[in-house]
Amino acid sequence: MVRDLADDAPELQDILDALDDPACRRIIMELDNPMTARELADSTDIPLSTLYRKLDTLSDASLVSELTEIREDGHHTSRYRIAVKSVNIALTDDREFDVSIERPPRTTDERLERLWEEVRKET
């Protein structure tokens, strides 16, 4: 399950684990535009079952987000996209690591989806 980017910031270790994984890096490099898992598997030569695990790893690190493409026939499709513009890791004055993530602006569809989720929570 792909994490909601409005959740708390990811753990530093989750980010480091994702960026250390060659398959995760390959997925990130491939995501110029939102893609389905099947499209990603085909373009990266990563088996689909492995790809889903890697997407979970990237999601835990808040590096990838999932968009639901609504279809008239009722067979909705998930598309995945890069969820960051940059990841910065710095050393604080207390000699602790601090991670900050710069995100691209949300699309109109994403803002509407988030609003709808909030309305559903209230009812």
Side-chain angles (χ1 to χ4, degrees):
M1 178 173 172
V2 174
R3 127 193 219 128
D4 182 359
L5 298 179
D7 290 348
D8 294 331
E11 295 292 324
L12 173 63
Q13 192 61 52
D14 290 339
I15 293 171
L16 295 175
D17 289 345
L19 295 177
D20 186 48
D21 187 311
C24 287
R25 289 194 310 270
R26 201 164 12 156
I27 291 167
I28 289 171
M29 289 186 288
E30 194 65 35
L31 281 173
D32 289 331
N33 295 304
M35 299 174 76
T36 65
R38 171 62 61 198
E39 291 168 341
L40 275 168
D42 291 344
S43 65
T44 60
D45 292 325
I46 297 172
L48 197 55
S49 59
T50 302
L51 185 105
Y52 279 115
R53 286 194 307 274
K54 300 304 178 182
L55 287 170
D56 283 342
T57 298
L58 289 165
S59 174
D60 289 344
S62 294
L63 300 175
V64 168
S65 63
E66 180 179 6
L67 308 167
T68 302
E69 182 178 290
I70 307 297
R71 295 184 177 174
E72 288 182 18
D73 64 4
H75 295 96
H76 308 313
T77 300
S78 291
R79 292 193 173 274
Y80 301 90
R81 72 174 185 112
I82 295 296
V84 297
K85 287 178 79 170
S86 67
V87 176
N88 301 296
I89 300 171
L91 193 58
T92 67
D93 292 339
D94 297 329
R95 297 280 189 221
E96 294 183 10
F97 287 101
D98 179 54
V99 63
S100 62
I101 296 177
E102 181 183 355
R103 301 206 183 279
R106 288 184 184 235
T107 65
T108 303
D109 289 343
E110 289 170 320
R111 290 191 310 266
L112 183 59
E113 180 180 358
R114 183 76 177 147
L115 178 64
W116 182 246
E117 287 173 8
E118 292 300 319
V119 168
R120 284 194 309 207
K121 286 179 187 175
E122 297 294 322
T123 57

